[in-house]
Amino acid sequence: MTSVSKLFGEAEIARRVEDLAAEIAAEISGDFVIVGLLKGSFVFLADLVRALDRTGLAPRIEFMRVASYGLGKESSGKVDLVGDILDDVGGRRVLLVDDIVDTGRSLLFARDLLKDKGAARIWTCVLLDKPSRREVDCTADFVGFVIEDVFVVGYGIDYAEGYRHLPYIGVVD
Ligand code: IMP
Ligand code: MG
């Protein structure tokens, strides 16, 4: 049986997301588009956009779906675009949002794609950063929590498609 031990509780996540929105608002003003990476970022993004609204920001919201993981805990090392954004980001400023930056391949892949589409400026934001796992040169502009090399689930993040529904973030033992 897999067991999950709590790493960040609901209240702690909510406080951090609120602060993260303030950090973003201090740097980005005016029109911009948020591009969330599915599926992992959906819960984080839902909370983040409402926290951004409280700072007075009104971003448009798009999603892109990329896949790098199979059903296990190890990334395949190859990133595929599974679903593209429909909106035109040419000439627009974009905040790319993901759940975790691990090897960095997914975020780099998505950022390059947005660059190719002609985005005027791209910032990146992740809830969790595992710097010890990085394999490519990729640093997120806004980071919720820096964590060790542990496999986490919950708050949108899965293990073999399970656990996304958990309201907290836990470590799978
Ligand atoms: P990267 O391309 O290796 O940086 O991986 C990024 C993606 O891998 C994230 O968006 C997650 O979906 C997934 N991932 C990385 N670490 C974990 C984890 O600890 N638990 C679940 N998914 C993870
Ligand atoms: Mg993901």
Side-chain angles (χ1 to χ4, degrees):
M1 249 311 266
T2 342
S3 65
V4 178
S5 42
K6 197 179 282 188
L7 184 60
F8 301 114
E10 287 179 72
E12 191 176 4
I13 296 170
R15 276 196 303 273
R16 189 64 195 108
V17 170
E18 213 64 31
D19 288 349
L20 210 45
E23 288 171 30
I24 292 167
E27 173 134 358
I28 309 178
S29 55
D31 284 345
F32 69 104
V33 186
I34 286 187
V35 175
L37 294 188
L38 291 174
K39 295 188 247 179
S41 73
F42 84 105
V43 177
F44 172 44
L45 192 135
D47 284 344
L48 183 67
V49 295
R50 287 175 290 178
L52 287 171
D53 174 80
R54 288 187 280 276
T55 73
L57 288 173
R60 296 169 73 119
I61 300 164
E62 271 292 331
F63 289 99
M64 194 181 260
R65 188 162 173 190
V66 297
S68 63
Y69 270 56
L71 286 180
K73 290 183 184 175
E74 279 303 310
S75 166
S76 68
K78 189 175 162 292
V79 186
D80 290 317
L81 178 68
V82 186
D84 206 347
I85 49 171
L86 297 177
D87 210 6
D88 180 15
V89 294
R92 310 191 93 111
R93 298 176 321 137
V94 176
L95 177 66
L96 176 61
V97 176
D98 202 5
D99 53 355
I100 307 176
V101 56
D102 187 43
T103 66
R105 290 182 200 285
S106 304
L107 205 60
L108 194 67
F109 174 85
R111 200 175 61 187
D112 285 347
L113 215 71
L114 292 166
K115 213 183 286 171
D116 289 347
K117 289 174 183 291
R121 170 92 204 250
I122 305 163
W123 292 270
T124 50
C125 173
V126 294
L127 180 64
L128 304 173
D129 184 1
K130 293 192 213 172
S132 67
R133 297 258 311 159
R134 206 72 89 251
E135 287 174 15
V136 294
D137 186 18
C138 180
T139 310
D141 298 301
F142 306 98
V143 173
F145 302 99
V146 174
I147 60 170
E148 303 289 307
D149 180 10
V150 286
F151 197 85
V152 294
V153 293
Y155 197 69
I157 303 163
D158 77 306
Y159 172 37
E161 288 305 324
Y163 306 102
R164 290 194 199 273
H165 55 88
L166 293 179
Y168 57 89
I169 292 169
V171 175
V172 176
D173 304 311

